[in-house]
């Protein structure tokens, strides 16, 4: 059986409403359209997830939610736009692991990764895959780690960008496994996949949505998924931790909503309530699964604590990897 990857049409743009008067009290919220800042380009994971959720939330809230793509600087340009928006609940953003990682490697940040925001709630998680060519000599994670230990720095891994989640996932793999591999960054996932297929690199860490098609067609072979649990799209593929040679290895990317600091708590709570109601709907779960993610709701406080833990985790990975801030 194959798993269809759902791609939301970019022509399904969310409506833009006419102008409204100033913000109403929290109990009447919302009385006008809400802007959702997606800090990456159209068609990416955060854009697809954001549109799926926003289309249903606007129906429940009774006001349009307008998507604004604001890519750049690993997502930090979009985050800064949210920071500088009015604190009234009419501008929110979608957060991913990529923005947290970008903040750990960026010098002179103009806002605080955690404290500059109110954390509305988590939406979903998405796994990464460790993939090789089908004819690659090392057939599982145990063999790959053994080869890396026997030949330090000889195995080459690709990623779709320096400092990307995929790159840092591999750095943590190296650290937890006590191994050394050479990193070759590419600009995009398709370029990294082409390098792997062309035998220019040995292994690739990338998202399920980026490589699932090649896996299903037999062009690539999955050695493992990177989360602590197996991934629904490839239930027969073991986790890295199941290999027994790299303990405590759990890497997922994820998505959630946030708002500017000092957005009234009743508004944050209302958005969280509606978000979790939407996530509980079978139709939404199905659409998100087809988009390559797994539903994972939360309270605002749980989401904030998760963000703190992720920032500490990736800051430590960056420091141990010797990656200097830029």
């Amino acid at each position: 059986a194959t798993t269809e990857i759902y791609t939301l049409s970019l022509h399904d743009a969310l409506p833009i409403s006419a102008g409204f008067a100033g913000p109403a009290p929290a109990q009447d919220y919302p009385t006008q359209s809400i802007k959702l800042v997606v800090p990456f380009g159209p068609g990416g994971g955060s854009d697809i997830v954001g549109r799926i959720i926003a289309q249903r939330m606007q129906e429940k809230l009774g006001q349009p939610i307008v998507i604004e793509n604001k890519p750049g600087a690993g997502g930090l340009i979009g985050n800064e736009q949210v920071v500088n928006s009015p604190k009234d609940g009419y501008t929110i953003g979608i957060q991913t692991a990529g923005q947290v990682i970008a903040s750990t490697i960026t010098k002179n940040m103009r806002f605080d990764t955690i404290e500059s925001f109110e954390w509305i709630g988590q939406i979903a998680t998405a796994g990464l895959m460790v993939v090789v060519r089908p004819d690659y000599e090392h057939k599982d994670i145990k063999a790959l780690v053994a080869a890396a230990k026997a030949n330090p720095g000889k195995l080459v891994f690709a990623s779709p960008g320096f400092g990307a989640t995929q790159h840092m996932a591999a750095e943590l793999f190296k650290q937890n496994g006590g191994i050394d591999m050479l990193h070759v960054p590419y600009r995009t996932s398709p370029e990294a996949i082409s390098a792997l297929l062309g035998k220019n690199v040995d292994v690739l860490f990338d998202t399920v949505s980026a490589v699932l098609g090649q896996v299903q067609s037999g062009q690539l072979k999955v050695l493992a998924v990177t989360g602590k649990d197996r991934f629904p799209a490839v239930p027969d593929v073991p986790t890295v931790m199941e290999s027994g040679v790299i303990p405590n290895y759990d890497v997922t990317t994820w998505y959630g909503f946030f708002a500017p600091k000092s957005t009234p708590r009743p508004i944050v709570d209302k958005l969280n309530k509606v978000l979790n109601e939407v996530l509980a709907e079978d139709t939404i779960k199905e659409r998100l699964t087809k988009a390559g993610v797994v539903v994972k709701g939360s309270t605002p406080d749980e989401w904030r604590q998760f963000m703190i833990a992720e920032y500490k985790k990736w800051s430590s990975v960056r420091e141990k990897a010797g990656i200097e801030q830029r």
Side-chain angles (χ1 to χ4, degrees):
T2 61
T3 300
E4 177 188 359
I5 292 296
Y6 177 84
T7 303
L8 186 69
S9 170
L10 297 180
H11 297 293
D12 294 338
L14 299 174
I16 300 177
S17 65
F20 288 85
Q27 63 266 28
D28 300 323
Y29 172 88
T31 61
Q32 65 186 68
S33 63
I34 299 167
K35 180 190 295 182
L36 173 59
V37 177
V38 176
F40 298 98
S46 56
D47 185 66
I48 292 171
V49 169
R51 288 175 187 271
I52 290 172
I53 297 299
Q55 284 183 335
R56 185 68 184 105
M57 283 185 68
Q58 71 178 0
E59 294 171 6
K60 295 178 74 68
L61 289 168
Q63 293 291 344
I65 298 180
V66 183
I67 303 292
E68 181 175 324
N69 295 95
K70 197 77 173 178
L76 298 184
I77 289 176
N79 280 31
E80 188 165 5
Q81 178 174 335
V82 175
V83 167
N84 294 326
S85 296
K87 310 172 195 316
D88 55 10
Y90 291 102
T91 300
I92 63 175
I94 187 166
Q95 180 87 347
T96 72
Q99 290 129 279
V100 172
I101 291 172
S103 73
T104 71
I105 63 176
T106 301
K107 277 185 179 178
N108 304 319
M109 289 274 292
R110 290 193 290 264
F111 59 89
D112 187 275
T113 305
I114 305 298
E115 299 303 328
S116 293
F117 303 108
E118 301 294 342
W119 299 99
I120 295 168
Q122 190 169 359
I123 298 169
T125 63
L128 278 69
M129 290 180 175
V130 184
V131 295
V132 296
R133 295 179 301 277
D135 61 349
Y136 190 56
E137 59 182 317
H138 307 301
K139 302 301 183 183
D140 55 31
I141 291 294
K142 192 172 183 178
L144 182 73
V145 170
K149 285 186 175 180
N151 302 280
K154 298 296 185 183
L155 268 65
V156 182
F157 74 92
S159 79
F162 178 86
T165 304
Q166 297 92 323
H167 170 206
M168 301 303 280
E171 293 292 347
L172 184 59
F173 182 89
K174 288 165 52 181
Q175 291 170 16
N176 285 14
I179 59 176
D180 184 25
M181 298 191 297
L182 177 65
H183 176 220
V184 178
Y186 293 84
R187 291 182 299 176
T188 65
S189 287
E191 287 185 8
I193 292 168
S194 294
L196 180 59
L197 294 173
K199 300 186 178 182
N200 296 317
V201 299
D202 299 303
V203 61
L204 170 65
F205 289 67
D206 214 333
T207 60
V208 171
S209 58
V211 297
L212 186 58
Q214 287 83 357
V215 168
Q216 291 174 337
S217 68
Q219 290 179 283
L220 294 177
K221 173 182 171 60
V222 190
L223 299 186
V225 293
T226 63
K228 63 181 176 60
D229 301 312
R230 294 194 178 197
F231 198 74
V234 284
D236 295 333
V237 176
T239 67
V240 168
M241 283 196 287
E242 286 181 73
S243 70
V245 294
I246 300 191
N248 304 317
Y249 184 79
D250 176 17
V251 176
T252 56
T253 189
W254 34 261
Y255 307 94
F257 287 153
F258 65 101
K261 186 71 174 179
S262 300
T263 298
R265 183 61 188 236
I267 289 177
V268 172
D269 287 341
K270 183 169 186 176
L271 288 169
N272 176 266
K273 178 176 180 291
V274 173
L275 171 61
N276 282 306
E277 288 172 355
V278 167
L279 293 176
E281 296 178 4
D282 291 339
T283 302
I284 295 298
K285 287 181 181 178
E286 181 180 355
R287 292 177 69 187
L288 289 172
T289 298
K290 288 181 178 179
V293 304
V294 178
V295 167
K296 174 72 173 177
S298 75
T299 67
D301 292 336
E302 288 168 345
W303 180 222
R304 174 185 165 81
Q305 291 305 312
F306 178 82
M307 290 296 305
I308 292 171
E310 284 289 288
Y311 182 79
K312 289 179 179 177
K313 171 182 175 178
W314 292 116
S315 294
S316 175
V317 171
R318 179 195 66 78
E319 291 170 3
K320 289 180 181 178
I323 297 172
E324 293 186 4
Q325 290 184 319
R326 299 179 169 188

